[in-house]
Amino acid sequence: MDAPGVQAGHGEHGGRNAAAAAAAGTRLDPWFAAYAERAHGMRASEVRSLFAVANRPEVVSLAGGMPNIEGLPLDFLAEMTAKLLRERGTRALQYGGGQGEEELREQIVEVMRYDHVHAHPDDVVVTTGSQQALDLVTEIFVDPGDVVVAEAPSYVGALGVFRAYQADVVHVAMDEAGLVPEELDRCLAELKRQGRRVKLLYTVPNFHNPAGVTLTMERRPQIVEICRRHHVLVLEDNPYGLLGFDADPMPSLKSIDDDGVVYLGSFSKTFAPGYRVGWALAPHAVREKLVLASESAILSPTMMGQLSIAAYLSGYDWYGQVKSYREMYRERRDAMLSALAEFLPEASWTVPDGGFYTWVKLPDGLDAQAMLPRAVTNLVAYVSGTAFYADGQGHDHVRLSFCYPTPERIREGVRRLADVVRAEAELVRMFGTAPQPSRPGETVEFPSPDQV
Amino acid sequence: MDAPGVQAGHGEHGGRNAAAAAAAGTRLDPWFAAYAERAHGMRASEVRSLFAVANRPEVVSLAGGMPNIEGLPLDFLAEMTAKLLRERGTRALQYGGGQGEEELREQIVEVMRYDHVHAHPDDVVVTTGSQQALDLVTEIFVDPGDVVVAEAPSYVGALGVFRAYQADVVHVAMDEAGLVPEELDRCLAELKRQGRRVKLLYTVPNFHNPAGVTLTMERRPQIVEICRRHHVLVLEDNPYGLLGFDADPMPSLKSIDDDGVVYLGSFSKTFAPGYRVGWALAPHAVREKLVLASESAILSPTMMGQLSIAAYLSGYDWYGQVKSYREMYRERRDAMLSALAEFLPEASWTVPDGGFYTWVKLPDGLDAQAMLPRAVTNLVAYVSGTAFYADGQGHDHVRLSFCYPTPERIREGVRRLADVVRAEAELVRMFGTAPQPSRPGETVEFPSPDQV
């Protein structure tokens, strides 16, 4: 039997795309010519193999966004889960409704009160992590060529989703106080003048990934008002909101304009990611579409995960656990900042009040992407700033995460990074290499969990 | 603050779509004009509220596709899961890789040996139920307007996915021996002549949902050869394959042509749906795209679910459990068939050798969709045949499932259905009502877990 690829030149699609298919090597992929247009943008990042190396224990990874869940009460969870399976096993192991369990949605409403949100459980959709919520919102709003406005820089996993739906991402500047309202207003006015269809403002107001900054209270109603005036839906992504080091959360954008905001939440950072449970809170008609889209994608979210999290929220001092996470991450943030001050004074960085990340500007002339292989060789890993832009920016930045390694390892990682930076600066001085902007879109890649 | 909807007439999108938006009631949905084109096809089925009623205990539901998992060893699962959390909790509750755990993928390879598939774990992608695999395959292959060829009738959840990606579904006839090769060949040739881009043949070869038939051994290589000749990828969906009542599974299409088939599998029917774990086995280059698409959609599948299922497969006689499921479902199938023979001899039906469903042709002149409210009033529920076609067919059929109710309840349900059918026939005789084909596409709806 011949493989289909051998016949590609004779088939309809093969014939039409014979040249392209041959060029791309149909021998390697007999289905190359059959992919949807959106799939041609899906390719593994070149740094994936590098990150495989970076996961070796001898490498200090300041790249990953994995929470440190060592502090979880495993004995409690073991007892709780055994009880759930014994007493409600046939329910926990069955299909559930597409919107998610009411019991959990009611608890999610309580969790969101910390963000000053007063919601109804009927407006909540439980999803496979908040990543699926991001995917579903994009699915129901974004046609190819539509514009999504996003912070500069933005979460790599969101850029991957927007790219999968063939959106054009337009970045708007941030500063230490978060997204800049005047820049947003100017950008939306300009896009309107160009006749572009702007569908979403995607924003992470609290402890931004990767920038580490938080939108100030003063700017929150301004951002909401600008979007309302331009009739642009706000997609507020808030995975880290409860992980502030110094204060309780500020009012979310959702709490300021219920009709104009879809809010995304997650248990991955406040509890654990292993059940893949997140949610969206949306205006009612939007929520209906989200449920339909989710049913099409996965039928229903995991009952076992939902009932486990519901049991944890009701049976354990979950907010006490959040507080202990805060202390742990604060200590790591401190270790990161003091190591940066000690070893890398020639760089500059943001000072996060919560979350997992700081955003570091390299000394002039260095290229974060070009430097990465040498960093990994020197047993330290980071994510190049280029991952967080859809337009080729970011070569002069790196994202450093302080969530997973211990304070001692963080210090050691920054020390190694400083060595790499100095060696790289020496190279630049000798050979005059300077950062080159990539072609727009070229550096956006689908996230691997290592980079989130 | 005005709601955005009030300003719809002034905004860019509002202005452009003002008439449509007004007609559709922007007061109810201020974001109506902002939806993507694909979202306009997403709407709740009219029968949803009916199914909410159908879930009441007094109604015998022959509608749902929920497996009966009463036979699961809950005490064993409780102990096993507690041990997993105590000993490997920080791994089970963490993010995993986007492709899924190697440990589980190796076991999935063993499971697929029953379908005569010899695969490598590297070609397996673990997904959020096989529904997500279906969604991902469609995402990477189907552009709007592309054709997906599917059996007549087809799984409602697959039709929902194809619709979400704006595919045109073309149905090909089945008979008691499954998909008819000559009809498939003729259909693909005709589509080629029309210049259509045919991307997939979607097929459920074993214990078809909803038709209850199985593709014969003789036809399997014929179907594969026809698709290879037309360079059409086969999407083989096999959730029920291990649930045959009389014999071990026949060789899957995947085992006949590895390069030309993407195979979808699921633990939902052979174990339980509650963890939402399924998989795709795909040619290598396709598998790479599937992983990237899945990472974009959900980052990674549930570690807790994957490790739990891995522990169940390695620690329990899971195939013994499958055998006891078979006996249980066989008894229910027998109850269904004998009740049909006793109470509804004026109908005809398929005789399934496995799985969950039989496909019943109503007496002439009856309309399954129109009759459904009266059936629910008479305390029995089914799924109208119209749900399983993208082109308005199916009014003369109902799908009856025998998976969930007890044999006694099945018998009672069929008895009630027979009463409804006879009353309906009387109405038709008196008033001459006859089935009306719907407009194509109108009756395809997103599946609710009740209907899967």
Side-chain angles (χ1 to χ4, degrees):
Chain A
M1 284 191 258
D2 286 336
V6 177
Q7 308 178 337
H10 309 297
E12 180 203 357
H13 306 143
R16 194 189 293 164
N17 294 295
T26 47
R27 273 166 201 273
L28 290 174
D29 185 1
W31 299 105
F32 181 83
Y35 289 124
E37 204 182 310
R38 69 177 74 83
H40 290 289
M42 294 177 190
R43 53 178 185 277
S45 133
E46 287 169 24
V47 297
R48 283 221 168 188
S49 50
L50 220 54
F51 279 105
V53 177
N55 282 333
R56 291 190 193 159
E58 65 269 27
V59 176
V60 176
S61 179
L62 306 175
M66 292 200 303
N68 170 26
I69 56 172
E70 297 287 336
L72 283 177
L74 294 181
D75 281 335
F76 172 84
L77 292 171
E79 287 306 315
M80 176 199 93
T81 312
K83 186 170 185 301
L84 172 63
L85 281 165
R86 278 203 191 89
E87 296 177 4
R88 296 199 291 163
T90 53
R91 184 147 169 264
L93 295 170
Q94 190 53 274
Y95 288 111
Q99 186 177 355
E101 282 300 289
E102 189 165 2
E103 176 184 349
L104 179 62
R105 286 186 279 114
E106 284 169 359
Q107 289 167 311
I108 286 170
V109 163
E110 294 305 312
V111 170
M112 288 189 293
R113 286 186 188 269
Y114 289 99
D115 296 307
H116 303 234
V117 174
H118 297 274
H120 191 280
D122 195 40
D123 293 332
V124 174
V125 186
V126 179
T127 53
T128 305
S130 62
Q131 185 74 19
Q132 194 209 354
L134 188 51
D135 186 77
L136 296 174
V137 171
T138 310
E139 178 184 355
I140 70 170
F141 280 104
V142 175
D143 284 314
D146 284 349
V147 173
V148 174
V149 171
E151 285 135 348
S154 268
Y155 166 50
V156 58
L159 296 180
V161 170
F162 301 145
R163 186 177 196 183
Y165 288 96
Q166 299 165 271
D168 288 341
V169 173
V170 174
H171 289 288
V172 174
M174 308 176 78
D175 60 22
E176 297 282 325
L179 186 62
V180 181
E182 298 73 24
E183 295 288 333
L184 176 65
D185 199 11
R186 186 170 14 225
C187 172
L188 292 177
E190 172 59 25
L191 287 165
K192 182 178 183 176
R193 225 181 21 173
Q194 294 173 6
R196 304 296 304 272
R197 285 171 63 86
V198 182
K199 291 296 180 68
L200 301 170
L201 166 68
Y202 172 74
T203 177
V204 180
N206 298 321
F207 321 124
H208 189 271
N209 176 3
V213 302
T214 292
L215 188 66
T216 57
M217 193 55 239
E218 186 190 358
R219 286 188 180 176
R220 291 182 181 229
Q222 298 170 12
I223 297 293
V224 163
E225 184 277 327
I226 291 164
C227 286
R228 198 167 53 232
R229 183 153 39 79
H230 291 276
H231 198 55
V232 169
L233 184 64
V234 177
L235 182 51
E236 176 179 33
D237 193 0
N238 191 30
Y240 310 103
L242 291 183
L243 296 178
F245 304 144
D246 307 309
D248 283 334
M250 277 185 271
S252 60
L253 303 182
K254 181 70 179 172
S255 73
I256 300 171
D257 182 4
D258 191 41
D259 274 348
V261 179
V262 175
Y263 171 106
L264 308 186
S266 173
F267 290 109
S268 293
K269 277 80 181 183
T270 51
F271 168 52
Y275 282 111
R276 310 304 297 116
V277 175
W279 71 90
L281 171 67
H284 194 80
V286 174
R287 191 281 284 161
E288 285 187 347
K289 297 263 190 212
L290 289 177
V291 171
L292 294 169
S294 185
E295 288 173 351
S296 177
I298 61 159
L299 291 183
S300 62
T302 165
M303 279 291 275
M304 187 65 198
Q306 291 181 85
L307 295 186
S308 295
I309 289 176
Y312 171 74
L313 293 174
S314 65
Y316 193 76
D317 176 16
W318 71 271
Y319 201 73
Q321 177 63 42
V322 167
K323 286 181 184 161
S324 87
Y325 277 150
R326 284 180 188 165
E327 290 311 306
M328 181 263 301
Y329 290 128
R330 183 221 299 269
E331 189 190 350
R332 289 167 186 219
R333 186 266 324 249
D334 291 345
M336 168 79 65
L337 296 184
S338 67
L340 283 168
E342 181 175 348
F343 298 120
L344 253 181
E346 64 270 43
S348 59
W349 51 86
T350 56
V351 176
D353 298 323
F356 286 8
Y357 309 106
T358 183
W359 182 238
V360 177
K361 171 141 186 350
L362 296 174
D364 284 349
L366 297 199
D367 183 329
Q369 200 172 33
M371 189 172 74
L372 184 56
R374 292 184 281 274
V376 173
T377 306
N378 208 36
L379 304 182
V380 60
Y382 57 80
V383 181
S384 164
T386 49
F388 306 99
Y389 290 91
D391 61 2
Q393 297 181 67
H395 285 266
D396 53 348
H397 276 83
V398 301
R399 187 192 75 179
L400 299 184
S401 62
F402 49 80
C403 45
Y404 200 70
T406 61
E408 296 69 33
R409 295 276 286 171
I410 288 171
R411 186 178 153 81
E412 173 60 17
V414 174
R415 201 190 54 72
R416 292 177 189 173
L417 179 63
D419 288 346
V420 174
V421 164
R422 265 185 291 276
E424 194 79 0
E426 184 64 19
L427 278 177
V428 169
R429 234 180 345 265
M430 287 167 63
F431 300 106
T433 326
Q436 301 293 328
S438 336
R439 283 193 308 147
E442 202 173 40
T443 55
V444 180
E445 53 219 17
F446 280 78
S448 79
D450 295 323
Q451 297 173 42
V452 170
Chain B
M1 286 192 255
D2 285 336
V6 177
Q7 306 176 338
H10 309 297
E12 180 202 357
H13 306 143
R16 194 189 292 165
N17 295 295
T26 47
R27 270 164 203 276
L28 291 173
D29 185 1
W31 299 105
F32 181 83
Y35 289 124
E37 204 182 312
R38 68 177 74 82
H40 291 288
M42 295 176 189
R43 50 178 187 278
S45 134
E46 287 169 26
V47 297
R48 282 220 170 190
S49 50
L50 220 52
F51 279 104
V53 177
N55 283 333
R56 292 191 192 158
E58 65 269 27
V59 176
V60 176
S61 178
L62 306 175
M66 291 201 304
N68 169 26
I69 56 172
E70 297 286 337
L72 283 177
L74 294 180
D75 281 334
F76 171 85
L77 292 170
E79 287 305 316
M80 178 199 90
T81 311
K83 186 170 184 302
L84 172 63
L85 281 165
R86 278 203 191 89
E87 296 178 4
R88 298 199 289 163
T90 53
R91 185 147 169 263
L93 295 170
Q94 190 51 275
Y95 288 111
Q99 186 176 355
E101 281 300 286
E102 190 165 1
E103 176 184 351
L104 180 62
R105 287 187 278 114
E106 284 169 0
Q107 290 168 311
I108 285 171
V109 164
E110 295 304 312
V111 170
M112 288 189 292
R113 285 185 188 270
Y114 289 99
D115 295 307
H116 303 237
V117 173
H118 298 274
H120 192 282
D122 195 39
D123 293 333
V124 174
V125 186
V126 180
T127 53
T128 305
S130 63
Q131 186 74 19
Q132 193 208 355
L134 189 52
D135 185 77
L136 296 174
V137 171
T138 310
E139 177 184 357
I140 71 170
F141 280 104
V142 175
D143 284 314
D146 284 349
V147 173
V148 174
V149 171
E151 285 136 347
S154 270
Y155 166 50
V156 58
L159 296 180
V161 170
F162 302 145
R163 186 179 195 181
Y165 288 96
Q166 299 165 273
D168 288 342
V169 173
V170 174
H171 289 287
V172 174
M174 309 175 79
D175 60 22
E176 296 282 324
L179 185 62
V180 181
E182 299 73 26
E183 295 289 331
L184 176 64
D185 199 12
R186 187 171 12 229
C187 171
L188 292 177
E190 172 61 25
L191 288 164
K192 183 178 183 176
R193 222 178 28 157
Q194 295 173 7
R196 303 297 303 273
R197 286 172 61 87
V198 181
K199 290 298 182 65
L200 301 170
L201 167 68
Y202 172 75
T203 178
V204 180
N206 298 320
F207 321 126
H208 189 272
N209 176 4
V213 302
T214 292
L215 187 66
T216 56
M217 193 56 239
E218 186 190 358
R219 286 187 179 177
R220 291 181 182 230
Q222 298 170 13
I223 297 294
V224 163
E225 185 279 327
I226 291 164
C227 286
R228 196 166 56 231
R229 184 153 40 79
H230 290 275
H231 199 54
V232 169
L233 184 64
V234 177
L235 181 51
E236 176 179 31
D237 193 0
N238 191 31
Y240 310 103
L242 291 184
L243 295 178
F245 303 144
D246 306 310
D248 283 333
M250 278 185 270
S252 60
L253 304 181
K254 181 71 179 170
S255 73
I256 300 171
D257 181 3
D258 190 40
D259 275 348
V261 179
V262 174
Y263 172 106
L264 308 186
S266 172
F267 291 109
S268 293
K269 277 80 180 183
T270 52
F271 169 52
Y275 281 112
R276 310 304 299 118
V277 175
W279 70 90
L281 171 68
H284 194 78
V286 174
R287 190 281 283 160
E288 286 186 347
K289 298 261 189 213
L290 289 177
V291 171
L292 295 168
S294 185
E295 286 172 354
S296 176
I298 61 160
L299 292 183
S300 62
T302 165
M303 279 292 274
M304 187 64 197
Q306 290 182 85
L307 296 186
S308 295
I309 289 177
Y312 171 74
L313 293 174
S314 65
Y316 194 77
D317 176 16
W318 71 270
Y319 201 73
Q321 177 64 43
V322 167
K323 286 179 184 162
S324 87
Y325 277 150
R326 284 179 189 166
E327 290 311 305
M328 180 262 300
Y329 290 128
R330 183 222 298 270
E331 188 190 350
R332 289 166 186 219
R333 187 265 326 247
D334 291 345
M336 169 76 70
L337 295 185
S338 67
L340 283 168
E342 182 176 347
F343 298 120
L344 253 181
E346 64 270 43
S348 58
W349 52 86
T350 56
V351 176
D353 297 322
F356 285 8
Y357 310 106
T358 184
W359 181 238
V360 177
K361 172 142 187 351
L362 296 174
D364 285 349
L366 297 200
D367 182 329
Q369 200 173 31
M371 188 173 73
L372 184 56
R374 293 184 280 274
V376 173
T377 306
N378 207 38
L379 303 181
V380 60
Y382 57 79
V383 181
S384 164
T386 50
F388 306 99
Y389 291 90
D391 61 3
Q393 297 181 69
H395 285 266
D396 53 349
H397 277 83
V398 301
R399 186 191 76 178
L400 300 185
S401 62
F402 48 81
C403 45
Y404 200 72
T406 60
E408 296 68 35
R409 295 275 287 172
I410 288 171
R411 187 179 152 81
E412 174 61 17
V414 174
R415 202 190 54 71
R416 292 177 190 173
L417 179 62
D419 288 346
V420 174
V421 164
R422 265 186 291 275
E424 194 79 0
E426 184 66 18
L427 278 178
V428 169
R429 233 182 344 266
M430 287 165 62
F431 300 105
T433 325
Q436 301 293 328
S438 336
R439 281 194 308 146
E442 202 174 42
T443 55
V444 181
E445 53 220 17
F446 280 77
S448 79
D450 296 323
Q451 297 172 46
V452 171

